[in-house]
């Protein structure tokens, strides 16, 4: 019977997408086995379970793989709907709003933040300002409507879909600020986002799974050197 309910997550420590699945499983109280992947030397199991994209995360439930983090979170919500708190609001309109802003954070804020690794000088300064502007939009158009007065998180008292996405994409913002030598999340300009993000960072599951700062700095340095070399070779 145990094998019939076996859950295995294939991930990589620096992947925010794998991290969001890991957090969702913990929030829902679902026992799972975690397998750390070396993406420079992918395991046969990863290639077998995700032959299309060949990347993490992959959730294997009862021997059947589910790929892509957004789809995995939807799957977790549907299959274990009676476990723990719901990751999404019950109201269909609120669900749509949560999905919209999660997509916004992913495509606008995080992808803008990722540009900092690829750019230098004026281009990097422009990328920083663009991220700040996108965070301001999230503050004024999103959070003020989604974060109910007195609520700890968008999902209420426990992390939900949008909370998890924000945490896994910007939860290490202080390390990014130290690495790039710039201020990204400014309390005086986006106080709601600032306080929400720091409450997310203080969540027990977030603190438990946060990698050491030195390890993150080393990974950022690796990525930056990789992009600089690839641009020089182009």
């Amino acid at each position: 019977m145990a094998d019939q309910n076996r859950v295995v997550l294939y991930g990589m420590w620096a992947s925010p997408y794998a991290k969001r699945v890991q957090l969702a499983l913990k929030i829902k109280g679902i026992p799972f086995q975690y397998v750390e992947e070396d993406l420079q030397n992918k395991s046969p199991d990863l290639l077998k379970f995700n032959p299309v994209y060949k990347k993490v995360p992959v959730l294997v439930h009862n021997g059947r793989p589910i790929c892509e983090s957004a789809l995995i979170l939807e799957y977790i919500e549907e299959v274990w709907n009676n476990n723990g708190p719901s990751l999404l609001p019950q109201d269909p309109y609120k669900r749509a709003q949560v999905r919209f802003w999660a997509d916004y954070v992913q495509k606008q804020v995080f992808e803008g933040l990722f540009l900092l690794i690829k750019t230098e000088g004026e281009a990097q300064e422009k990328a920083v300002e663009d991220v700040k502007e996108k965070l301001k939009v999230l503050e004024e158009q999103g959070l003020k409507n989604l974060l109910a007065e007195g609520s700890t998180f968008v999902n209420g008292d426990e992390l939900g879909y949008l909370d998890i996405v924000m945490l896994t994409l910007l939860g290490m913002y202080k390390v990014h600020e130290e690495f790039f030598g710039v201020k990204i999340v400014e309390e005086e300009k986006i106080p709601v986002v600032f306080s929400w993000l720091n409450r997310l960072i203080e969540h027990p599951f977030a603190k438990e799974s946060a990698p050491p700062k030195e390890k993150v700095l080393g990974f950022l340095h690796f990525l930056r050197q990789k992009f600089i070399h690839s641009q020089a070779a182009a």
Side-chain angles (χ1 to χ4, degrees):
M1 190 72 175
D3 287 342
Q4 292 178 355
N5 292 307
R6 187 167 180 239
V7 177
V8 182
L9 171 62
Y10 292 83
M12 183 266 186
W13 73 270
S15 167
Y17 310 104
K19 188 67 69 179
R20 67 179 60 163
V21 176
Q22 196 172 17
L23 283 169
L25 291 168
K26 289 184 177 182
I27 290 162
K28 299 289 277 185
I30 302 162
F32 67 99
Q33 176 189 349
Y34 176 75
V35 178
E36 176 73 13
E37 282 287 334
D38 176 1
L39 299 185
Q40 304 300 315
N41 185 26
K42 298 171 184 177
S43 73
D45 279 347
L46 178 62
L47 299 176
K48 177 181 73 172
F49 289 129
N50 191 356
V52 177
Y53 293 120
K54 303 177 176 64
K55 63 180 183 179
V56 297
V58 177
L59 185 77
V60 181
H61 180 214
N62 297 339
R64 300 183 299 180
I66 305 95
C67 307
E68 297 297 290
S69 62
L71 299 178
I72 296 172
L73 261 62
E74 297 273 357
Y75 180 85
I76 289 171
E77 181 76 345
E78 291 175 7
V79 173
W80 291 283
N81 60 321
N82 292 323
N83 283 62
S86 177
L87 300 177
L88 286 160
Q90 294 303 310
D91 179 70
Y93 179 75
K94 290 181 180 178
R95 279 185 175 231
Q97 291 298 298
V98 163
R99 289 188 178 111
F100 173 87
W101 287 107
D103 185 70
Y104 176 87
V105 171
Q106 171 69 53
K107 292 180 178 176
Q108 300 295 323
V109 180
F110 182 66
E111 290 187 14
L113 187 64
F114 198 67
L115 273 178
L116 300 185
I117 297 173
K118 301 180 180 181
T119 55
E120 295 179 288
E122 289 185 9
Q124 189 178 82
E125 290 175 12
K126 184 179 183 304
V128 171
E129 291 307 312
D130 186 58
V131 169
K132 290 181 181 180
E133 190 59 37
K134 298 292 172 54
L135 286 171
K136 190 174 180 182
V137 171
L138 173 64
E139 168 110 356
E140 296 177 352
Q141 303 298 325
L143 274 194
K144 288 185 178 179
N145 297 319
L146 287 172
L147 198 61
E149 188 174 348
S151 293
T152 307
F153 309 115
V154 169
N155 205 46
D157 294 330
E158 187 51 273
L159 301 180
Y161 191 90
L162 179 55
D163 301 297
I164 291 170
V165 169
M166 185 67 172
L167 173 60
T168 52
L169 295 180
L170 277 92
M172 302 299 294
Y173 82 90
K174 293 178 184 178
V175 181
H176 286 85
E177 289 181 338
E178 179 178 330
F179 182 78
F180 294 110
V182 296
K183 197 71 176 170
I184 298 169
V185 183
E186 300 175 296
E187 182 177 10
E188 62 278 9
K189 293 185 178 178
I190 46 170
V192 180
V193 168
F194 180 87
S195 58
W196 173 51
L197 183 52
N198 281 282
R199 287 196 300 274
L200 295 174
I201 292 168
E202 289 301 312
H203 189 283
F205 287 149
K207 294 173 77 171
E208 174 187 300
S209 61
K213 182 178 79 170
E214 291 71 23
K215 191 173 183 179
V216 178
L217 288 170
F219 186 69
L220 289 172
H221 180 74
F222 164 77
L223 287 179
R224 186 153 179 79
Q225 291 302 311
K226 180 181 177 181
F227 282 120
I228 289 173
H229 289 319
S230 64
Q231 288 169 357

